[in-house]
Amino acid sequence: MFLYFSYLSSDGEVLPHTLYADQLEIHLDTLNSFVAFGKVLVAAYLIDDEGHRTDLPIEAFDGWPIADHVLNLQEQYQLVLTT
């Protein structure tokens, strides 16, 4: 899936970026990394392999890594489904 996002440069210019990764967690941690380094996100959305767009709430990114939490939640969910 593709992540499209933009952030403000130090001189106020909106800089767009695109990133491809198979895992959602990589995209979420990428956005959190930009915030952790003091960048201000302007917009972010995902396009999945079927072409569906999902807008991401930029206010939810606080600069803290999230991948481990998402993977832990996924493991717990799978455990519940198998029991």
Side-chain angles (χ1 to χ4, degrees):
M1 85 182 69
F2 284 95
L3 169 66
Y4 295 88
F5 68 102
S6 55
Y7 68 92
L8 291 177
S9 70
S10 58
D11 62 354
E13 182 181 359
V14 176
L15 301 175
H17 287 279
T18 304
L19 174 68
Y20 180 83
D22 291 330
Q23 299 173 338
L24 173 65
E25 298 82 16
I26 292 171
H27 292 312
L28 299 179
D29 276 351
T30 297
L31 293 173
N32 273 317
S33 294
F34 271 79
V35 172
F37 282 105
K39 304 299 182 191
V40 176
L41 295 175
V42 175
Y45 62 93
L46 299 167
I47 302 288
D48 66 20
D49 294 334
E50 289 82 36
H52 299 105
R53 176 179 170 146
T54 302
D55 293 316
L56 300 174
I58 58 173
E59 63 276 0
F61 297 96
D62 58 6
W64 291 96
I66 193 168
D68 289 340
H69 301 291
V70 172
L71 292 173
N72 187 24
L73 181 61
Q74 181 181 2
E75 289 172 4
Q76 290 177 14
Y77 182 74
Q78 291 296 327
L79 182 62
V80 168
L81 289 178
T82 59
T83 57

